[in-house]
């Protein structure tokens, strides 16, 4: 990874990934791209890019002399359910374009899959790396197809494709927007702003989660991993914790004792959550490239509340 082009660079993962990559590989060596312009000044090169425009993606990658592409642009689960055809075109069209750019320029390639790639018939507890994948959402269908496509580009064309299945990602920098696990981000904002939160996910619904610093480190570690050790290459299960809404509320109450939690379940996002695993098994990632998460629920809550308080005060 010497010259990296990132799509979806203003999204939830992208906006922090860019800063991490720039601090490790040099600001001038990381090209951020997105369909919209950044609000303020940028910390390095930026280009507008619609990922459904494969020609422009290739031109930008060539002009920049990129040797690595990180394809982050995608519509999340709840948004994809609202507009499945658009989701298919964006998620699959963007991925195909990015894989084609990687093939044409023989680049290293990263894209995230998700716990959304699993479905109701997948074992719910300690979900294995290799298991049944029959998702019932458009997002899940996109993610399974994406995992297979990345494997295909590796086997057929020898492209160095790598990827993880991310759980819900929690961060104080950029809001996720359109996901099922978003409640676990919203709750921290509302805890600080209003001292209470109404969860759209029902009590007792377990989902895997991870704090953003662990997610970013996982991306870098996987991309830097010795390829001869990678048996799976794509779609490694990674997770740091699994909790249900009342547990994150209890964690917040340790810092904000008066915090109140209520429930008003959104049937669409609840159905998506019900179709996903309770907790997945990350042992293949641990064994093949040393995956490690540093934050558990309480450590994340403490850091998240402290950083978010500062951010909200400044805005
Ligand atoms: C979503 O909720 O859609 C995402 C995901 C788990 O992929 N956060």
């Amino acid at each position: 990874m010497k010259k990296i082009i990132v799509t979806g660079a203003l999204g939830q993962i992208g906006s922090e990934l860019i800063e991490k990559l720039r601090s490790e590989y040099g600001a001038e060596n990381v090209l951020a791209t997105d369909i919209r312009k950044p609000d303020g000044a940028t910390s390095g090169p930026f280009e507008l890019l619609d990922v459904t425009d494969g020609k422009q993606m290739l031109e930008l990658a060539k002009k920049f002399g990129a040797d690595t592409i990180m394809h982050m642009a995608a519509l999340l689960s709840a948004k994809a359910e609202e507009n499945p055809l658009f989701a298919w075109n964006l998620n699959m069209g963007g991925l195909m374009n990015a894989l084609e750019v990687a093939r044409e320029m023989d680049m290293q390639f990263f894209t995230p899959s998700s716990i959304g790639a699993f479905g109701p018939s997948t074992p719910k507890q300690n979900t294995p790396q290799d298991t049944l994948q029959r998702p019932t959402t458009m997002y899940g269908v996109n993610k399974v197809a994406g995992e297979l496509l990345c494997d295909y580009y590796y086997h057929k064309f020898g492209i160095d494709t790598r990827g993880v299945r991310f759980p819900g990602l929690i961060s104080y920098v950029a809001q996720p927007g359109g996901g099922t696990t978003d409640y676990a981000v919203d709750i921290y904002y509302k805890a600080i702003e209003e001292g209470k939160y109404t969860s759209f996910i029902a009590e007792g619904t377990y989902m895997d989660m991870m704090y953003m610093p662990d997610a970013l480190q996982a991306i870098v570690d996987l991309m830097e991993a010795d390829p001869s050790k990678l048996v799976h290459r794509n779609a490694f299960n990674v997770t740091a914790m699994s909790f249900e809404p009342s547990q994150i509320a209890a964690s917040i109450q340790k810092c904000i004792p008066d915090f109140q939690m209520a429930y008003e379940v959104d049937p669409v996002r609840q159905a998506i959550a019900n179709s996903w695993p309770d907790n997945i098994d990350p042992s293949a990632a641990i064994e093949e490239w040393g995956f490690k998460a540093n934050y558990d629920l309480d450590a994340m809550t403490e850091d998240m509340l402290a950083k978010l308080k500062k951010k909200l005060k400044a805005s």
Side-chain angles (χ1 to χ4, degrees), residues 1-2 4 20-27 29-30 220 224:
M1 283 208 292
K2 293 203 170 68
I4 309 161
K20 168 124 184 131
L21 295 173
R22 284 185 174 153
S23 74
E24 298 209 5
Y25 301 96
N29 294 321
V30 181
V220 171
E224 295 287 2

Side-chain angles (χ1 to χ4, degrees), residues 138-204:
M138 177 49 89
Y139 181 66
V141 170
N142 296 167
K143 288 300 183 191
V144 174
E147 291 181 5
L148 294 172
L149 265 178
C150 291
D151 281 349
Y152 181 80
Y153 269 68
Y154 170 64
H155 290 296
K156 176 87 177 173
F157 304 118
I159 300 306
D160 186 2
T161 56
R162 304 185 187 195
V164 296
R165 290 186 186 122
F166 273 137
L169 297 183
I170 295 165
S171 107
Y172 60 89
V173 177
Q175 302 250 37
T180 301
T181 57
D182 295 11
Y183 91 89
V185 179
D186 300 345
I187 193 171
Y188 288 109
Y189 279 83
K190 287 283 190 293
I192 292 170
E193 288 169 340
E194 298 173 20
K196 58 181 189 212
Y197 180 64
T198 303
S199 172
F200 59 77
I201 293 294
E203 192 171 357

Side-chain angles (χ1 to χ4, degrees), residues 15-210:
S15 50
E16 285 184 72
L17 180 62
I18 285 291
E19 298 311 318
K20 168 124 184 131
L21 295 173
R22 284 185 174 153
S23 74
E24 298 209 5
Y25 301 96
E28 69 287 1
N29 294 321
V30 181
L31 174 63
T33 71
D34 204 284
I35 196 161
R36 63 187 168 91
K37 279 194 182 140
D39 291 337
T42 58
S43 59
F46 178 88
E47 295 278 357
L48 279 173
L49 171 66
D50 173 351
V51 293
T52 61
D53 184 346
K55 197 165 155 266
Q56 200 208 351
M57 198 189 287
L58 182 60
E59 275 165 16
L60 287 179
K62 277 191 175 155
K63 198 170 98 191
F64 190 62
D67 64 9
T68 303
I69 182 161
M70 294 194 171
H71 179 58
M72 313 306 290
L75 216 60
L76 293 182
S77 56
K79 276 268 172 263
E81 270 334 270
E82 277 169 24
N83 200 340
L85 189 62
F86 176 65
W88 176 268
N89 289 335
L90 177 68
N91 290 352
M92 299 316 298
L95 177 62
M96 272 307 286
N97 287 338
L99 282 166
E100 271 301 287
V101 169
R103 184 181 67 78
E104 225 168 288
M105 295 178 61
D106 195 18
M107 294 158 97
Q108 203 188 9
F109 182 93
F110 175 87
T111 202
S113 183
S114 157
I115 53 170
F118 298 119
S121 53
T122 302
K124 257 187 146 22
Q125 307 295 335
N126 207 26
T127 306
Q129 175 66 38
D130 302 310
T131 187
L132 259 176
Q133 289 181 265
R134 306 288 295 172
T136 46
T137 63
M138 177 49 89
Y139 181 66
V141 170
N142 296 167
K143 288 300 183 191
V144 174
E147 291 181 5
L148 294 172
L149 265 178
C150 291
D151 281 349
Y152 181 80
Y153 269 68
Y154 170 64
H155 290 296
K156 176 87 177 173
F157 304 118
I159 300 306
D160 186 2
T161 56
R162 304 185 187 195
V164 296
R165 290 186 186 122
F166 273 137
L169 297 183
I170 295 165
S171 107
Y172 60 89
V173 177
Q175 302 250 37
T180 301
T181 57
D182 295 11
Y183 91 89
V185 179
D186 300 345
I187 193 171
Y188 288 109
Y189 279 83
K190 287 283 190 293
I192 292 170
E193 288 169 340
E194 298 173 20
K196 58 181 189 212
Y197 180 64
T198 303
S199 172
F200 59 77
I201 293 294
E203 192 171 357
T205 311
Y206 281 86
M207 285 185 276
D208 281 288
M209 304 278 175
M210 194 188 293

